[in-house]
Amino acid sequence: KAHSNPYQHSPEQFGCVVCHRGQGLATTIEDAHGYRENWNFPILKGEYVQASCGQCHQDQELVKDAPLLLKGKELFDQYECLGCHGLRGKGGKDAPDLTTAGDKKKSELDFGKYDKTRLTQADWEFMHMKNPKVFNQGSEMPDLGLSDEDARALAIYILSLSKKKVTENLLYVKK
């Protein structure tokens, strides 16, 4: 399929799953996109693909070609999320540590009354940012009254927090 590739990475050199997730070796579209109960990392679509930038580009070097990822980091700081959440050894201990939140498997998420067969981690994060009590009525996270764009940006930033790293040979591609 044609690829606009605004992120400066050649699909021929990097493949698809590095940025989009999904199942790279699948033989059907449904399987490739990872919409299966036994596949924990379904495809990241549209703007959510910016979350994958965190595999190589850490906070100090977030890429300008990922504006929602940058905005999510700014919102994370603006709302002082470290007051409650931990991140890389810093921050509070009253809420879940987010250091590897992007690595959380779909099977580890509680989708409550929602059909999780078509929902992804990105959907979960977005819905949680819009209404922290959507999946857990007892959640102590405050409702920040986020716009859809801000909720999407924060979700993208949270999904970028990963211990996964792209192999070095992909980081230093010869031109």
Side-chain angles (χ1 to χ4, degrees):
K1 180 174 180 177
H3 195 282
S4 61
N5 200 21
Y7 302 109
Q8 309 301 317
H9 297 308
S10 165
E12 290 79 21
Q13 291 175 310
F14 287 85
C16 302
V17 296
V18 169
C19 295
H20 290 281
R21 295 187 181 176
Q23 280 193 74
L25 299 176
T27 57
T28 68
I29 290 174
E30 193 75 10
D31 285 343
H33 288 185
Y35 294 128
R36 296 288 185 232
E37 194 164 333
N38 64 345
W39 192 257
N40 280 306
F41 298 102
I43 192 170
L44 290 172
K45 294 182 187 178
E47 296 168 317
Y48 284 99
V49 77
Q50 293 177 40
S52 294
C53 299
Q55 293 177 93
C56 306
H57 306 282
Q58 297 300 310
D59 292 345
Q60 68 276 12
E61 57 178 67
L62 288 175
V63 291
K64 65 179 175 14
D65 292 331
L68 284 176
L69 177 59
L70 288 167
K71 183 175 186 173
K73 168 65 173 130
E74 290 168 5
L75 290 168
F76 186 86
D77 293 340
Q78 175 187 325
Y79 287 109
E80 299 178 349
C81 299
L82 287 179
C84 297
H85 292 279
L87 179 64
R88 298 185 194 114
K90 297 179 182 171
K93 298 188 185 319
D94 295 332
D97 186 283
L98 300 175
T99 301
T100 59
D103 294 337
K104 190 170 265 196
K105 296 176 182 174
K106 181 178 174 180
S107 61
E108 297 173 327
L109 298 172
D110 180 1
F111 286 90
K113 64 182 179 182
Y114 294 91
D115 178 10
K116 74 177 189 176
T117 58
R118 296 301 288 181
L119 294 174
T120 65
Q121 294 96 320
D123 297 321
W124 191 96
E125 289 295 344
F126 173 79
M127 292 168 74
H128 176 69
M129 293 300 164
K130 286 294 287 183
N131 174 7
K133 296 186 184 318
V134 69
F135 301 117
N136 176 3
Q137 286 297 313
S139 175
E140 294 182 28
M141 183 167 157
D143 185 339
L144 301 172
L146 298 171
S147 67
D148 285 356
E149 182 179 332
D150 286 355
R152 194 169 16 267
L154 263 172
I156 288 169
Y157 178 67
I158 298 302
L159 289 168
S160 79
L161 301 174
S162 173
K163 67 180 174 192
K164 294 178 190 168
K165 297 292 174 232
V166 172
T167 59
E168 225 174 283
N169 63 328
L170 288 178
L171 290 176
Y172 304 102
V173 177
K174 295 179 185 176
K175 296 188 180 206

